[in-house]
Amino acid sequence: MTEKKPFEIARETLRQLTAKKLLPTPGNYQSIYNEIAGIPLIQPFPEEPLRQIAQSLPTKNPGQEKQKGLLEYAIGQRNWQGVQSALVGYAGFALPGGTPSESAPEPVAPIASVPAFTAEFMEQIARMVEYSLPALGNDDARFQEQVDKLLQTLRDPAADVIGIKTLLANFSHRLSFAAEDQAEIKNTLLKLLHLIIENIGELSVDDSWLKGQTDALMEAASPPLTLRRLDDVERRLKDVIFKQTEAKGRAQEAQEELRQMLATFISRLSQMSETSGAYQGKMEESMRQLEQAKKIEEIAPVLKEVISATRHMTSESTSARDELRTMREKAQATEAEMVKLHRELDRVSAQARHDSLTGALNRQGLDEAMNREVSSVRRKDAILSVALLDIDNFKKLNDGKGHETGDAALKHLATVARECMRPQDTLARYGGEEFVVLLPDTPLDKGVEAMTRLQRELTKRFFLAGNEKILITFSAGVAQLANGETGADAIKRADQAMYLAKRAGKNRVIGA
């Protein structure tokens, strides 16, 4: 018998509706159509009646309120299994005290038969529960008892699956509240960290050199946070505190030297004033003796005293002048040292660890990131892939459109790359038009796929040079860090693979 086509089935359905004098409702049409086509008639999902039942359920505690929300969501998704889970959870929270209990009555019968799960699968679930416990804390003894009961049940080969499902529903409910608490705690800690960073900048007398470091700190402490970024925040914060302490200590030394110089200057002025007063008195006494002298023999001793006093005055003046000159030179040297220190701080702040054009890490930042990733690989026995990419025909673009256009193309590539990368990935400018991407926990084939996705994204987002659309492409090589291999060696292998991609026609990704 020839299989009927859909339009023939539809025509026959309309004919039978007319012959049987049935109303042309969607239900009647579906029933006759399935009968003619030989399709099993599946009862429609009673969404509206179920929704009315859900709305009529009372909510006497937060647990019931949450389970009611899950029930309404499952009804909207037409998910019988979700409806069953929500109703079981709701029943657990209906017990006295409003807390789900492992003694909650089991449903009379499941809506659908529950498949048997292997012991290995149950062990995986138990491990997942155990891994989540550190985030929940241990301040709730009642909940700890429930967790122990859940783990014991999961590892019991004769355990009832429906009972396990009830315990898991209770656990997931507690876990959802803990996750919300942890998110709020993290946001609050971030706010406190930002306040500390801002306060460091405010406490600095002259914070011009500190701006680059505090800006980098604020950026590093912005979501999404990972342990890798927190390590970077800690290192930057220590760097800022060390440099500020060094500058503050040197400024205090300079202030002390200037204070001593001023005190010495005042002392010398006082001595010079006393010496000048004594000299002036001696001169007046000598003038009086000269006026009273009758003979030449009386004049000679007076002249001798005048000459002696003048020489003493000259010696004192010369000594004071030399001492003040020495102090002035020392003050100038101190000032020059302070200027040099601040210039060095400005240089370090400006250089930091990022490329000023693209915002990616520079070579110094790449070295630090690579050392950190390699150490993590060795410590955790993890994997790391390294990609080196080079923009195709960049010299032609630079020469034809100008260096400003070339710089804008570099920034465009860095922007698109950052948007395609995961939070744990690292982008660094290796030099010129070359970039390095560190891909932790990524095998070689996945690293090649990541670079290929970036190439596809660049074909969707043209680079605009004025009103002209320019397609930016790159060739890339990817290498997976081998046992005992250094980060520099991995980059070298990725570089060799990148040149193979260039020779193969460009706009390609090749794994080393």
Side-chain angles (χ1 to χ4, degrees), residues 5 9 18 39 77 99 138 164 168 185 208 231 245 264 325 333 489 497:
K5 298 184 178 184
I9 298 175
T18 304
I39 301 175
Q77 297 295 313
T99 303
N138 53 6
I164 293 176
L168 280 174
I185 290 172
S208 58
D231 288 342
T245 303
T264 303
R325 179 182 296 170
D489 291 338

Short mmCIF file of all heavy atoms in Angstrom, two decimals, residues 5 9 18 39 77 99 138 164 168 185 208 231 245 264 325 333 489 497:
data_model
loop_
_atom_site.label_atom_id
_atom_site.label_comp_id
_atom_site.label_asym_id
_atom_site.label_seq_id
_atom_site.Cartn_x
_atom_site.Cartn_y
_atom_site.Cartn_z
N LYS A 5 0.49 11.00 1.29
CA LYS A 5 1.23 12.24 1.51
C LYS A 5 0.47 13.14 2.48
O LYS A 5 -0.75 12.98 2.65
CB LYS A 5 1.45 12.95 0.19
CG LYS A 5 2.29 12.13 -0.77
CD LYS A 5 2.59 12.87 -2.06
CE LYS A 5 3.46 12.00 -2.95
NZ LYS A 5 3.87 12.65 -4.16
N ILE A 9 -3.60 13.27 3.54
CA ILE A 9 -4.13 12.97 4.87
C ILE A 9 -4.98 14.13 5.37
O ILE A 9 -6.06 13.94 5.95
CB ILE A 9 -2.98 12.68 5.85
CG1 ILE A 9 -2.20 11.45 5.38
CG2 ILE A 9 -3.50 12.46 7.26
CD1 ILE A 9 -0.95 11.17 6.22
N THR A 18 -16.43 16.28 8.23
CA THR A 18 -17.73 16.66 7.68
C THR A 18 -18.71 15.49 7.74
O THR A 18 -19.88 15.64 8.11
CB THR A 18 -17.57 17.14 6.23
OG1 THR A 18 -16.62 18.21 6.21
CG2 THR A 18 -18.89 17.62 5.66
N ILE A 39 -0.58 7.39 13.37
CA ILE A 39 0.28 7.94 14.42
C ILE A 39 -0.40 7.74 15.76
O ILE A 39 -1.60 8.01 15.89
CB ILE A 39 0.52 9.44 14.18
CG1 ILE A 39 1.19 9.66 12.82
CG2 ILE A 39 1.39 10.04 15.29
CD1 ILE A 39 1.35 11.13 12.46
N GLN A 77 7.02 24.49 30.75
CA GLN A 77 7.87 23.72 29.85
C GLN A 77 7.23 22.40 29.40
O GLN A 77 7.84 21.64 28.64
CB GLN A 77 9.21 23.41 30.54
CG GLN A 77 10.04 24.63 30.89
CD GLN A 77 10.49 25.37 29.65
OE1 GLN A 77 10.98 24.76 28.70
NE2 GLN A 77 10.34 26.69 29.65
N THR A 99 10.44 22.30 57.22
CA THR A 99 11.75 21.85 56.75
C THR A 99 11.59 20.50 56.10
O THR A 99 10.96 19.60 56.64
CB THR A 99 12.74 21.74 57.92
OG1 THR A 99 12.80 23.00 58.56
CG2 THR A 99 14.14 21.34 57.43
N ASN A 138 29.63 24.57 57.67
CA ASN A 138 29.18 23.48 58.54
C ASN A 138 28.49 24.01 59.79
O ASN A 138 28.56 23.41 60.86
CB ASN A 138 30.38 22.61 58.94
CG ASN A 138 31.50 23.44 59.54
OD1 ASN A 138 31.35 24.65 59.74
ND2 ASN A 138 32.62 22.80 59.82
N ILE A 164 15.94 8.76 46.93
CA ILE A 164 17.14 9.54 46.58
C ILE A 164 16.74 10.84 45.91
O ILE A 164 17.30 11.91 46.18
CB ILE A 164 18.06 8.71 45.66
CG1 ILE A 164 18.63 7.52 46.42
CG2 ILE A 164 19.17 9.57 45.10
CD1 ILE A 164 19.48 6.59 45.57
N LEU A 168 17.74 14.54 47.12
CA LEU A 168 18.47 15.44 46.22
C LEU A 168 17.72 16.76 46.03
O LEU A 168 18.33 17.83 45.92
CB LEU A 168 18.69 14.76 44.87
CG LEU A 168 19.85 13.76 44.79
CD1 LEU A 168 19.86 13.06 43.45
CD2 LEU A 168 21.18 14.49 45.01
N ILE A 185 28.28 37.59 49.33
CA ILE A 185 29.54 37.77 50.07
C ILE A 185 30.65 38.21 49.13
O ILE A 185 31.44 39.11 49.45
CB ILE A 185 29.91 36.46 50.79
CG1 ILE A 185 28.93 36.19 51.93
CG2 ILE A 185 31.34 36.52 51.33
CD1 ILE A 185 29.11 34.83 52.57
N SER A 208 50.48 60.73 41.54
CA SER A 208 50.54 60.66 40.09
C SER A 208 51.22 59.37 39.64
O SER A 208 50.79 58.72 38.69
CB SER A 208 51.29 61.87 39.52
OG SER A 208 52.60 61.95 40.07
N ASP A 231 45.11 36.00 42.40
CA ASP A 231 46.56 35.96 42.60
C ASP A 231 47.21 37.21 42.01
O ASP A 231 48.13 37.79 42.60
CB ASP A 231 47.15 34.71 41.94
CG ASP A 231 46.79 33.44 42.70
OD1 ASP A 231 46.41 33.57 43.88
OD2 ASP A 231 46.89 32.35 42.12
N THR A 245 55.56 52.52 50.27
CA THR A 245 56.38 52.54 51.49
C THR A 245 57.78 53.05 51.19
O THR A 245 58.34 53.85 51.96
CB THR A 245 56.45 51.13 52.09
OG1 THR A 245 55.11 50.65 52.35
CG2 THR A 245 57.24 51.13 53.38
N THR A 264 71.24 73.78 60.91
CA THR A 264 72.66 74.16 60.81
C THR A 264 72.81 75.57 60.24
O THR A 264 73.64 76.37 60.70
CB THR A 264 73.41 73.16 59.92
OG1 THR A 264 73.23 71.84 60.47
CG2 THR A 264 74.89 73.48 59.86
N ARG A 325 77.73 75.61 51.63
CA ARG A 325 77.82 75.12 50.26
C ARG A 325 77.72 73.59 50.23
O ARG A 325 77.04 73.02 49.38
CB ARG A 325 79.14 75.56 49.63
CG ARG A 325 79.31 75.07 48.18
CD ARG A 325 80.67 75.50 47.65
NE ARG A 325 80.75 76.95 47.58
CZ ARG A 325 81.89 77.62 47.34
NH1 ARG A 325 83.03 76.96 47.20
NH2 ARG A 325 81.89 78.93 47.28
N ALA A 333 71.63 66.93 45.90
CA ALA A 333 71.76 65.50 45.59
C ALA A 333 70.54 64.73 46.06
O ALA A 333 70.05 63.82 45.37
CB ALA A 333 73.03 64.95 46.25
N ASP A 489 59.75 27.28 25.20
CA ASP A 489 59.85 26.22 24.19
C ASP A 489 58.50 25.97 23.53
O ASP A 489 58.42 25.73 22.31
CB ASP A 489 60.35 24.93 24.84
CG ASP A 489 61.81 25.02 25.27
OD1 ASP A 489 62.54 25.88 24.71
OD2 ASP A 489 62.22 24.26 26.16
N ALA A 497 54.79 26.34 13.94
CA ALA A 497 53.52 25.94 13.32
C ALA A 497 52.85 27.12 12.63
O ALA A 497 52.21 26.96 11.58
CB ALA A 497 52.60 25.34 14.38
#
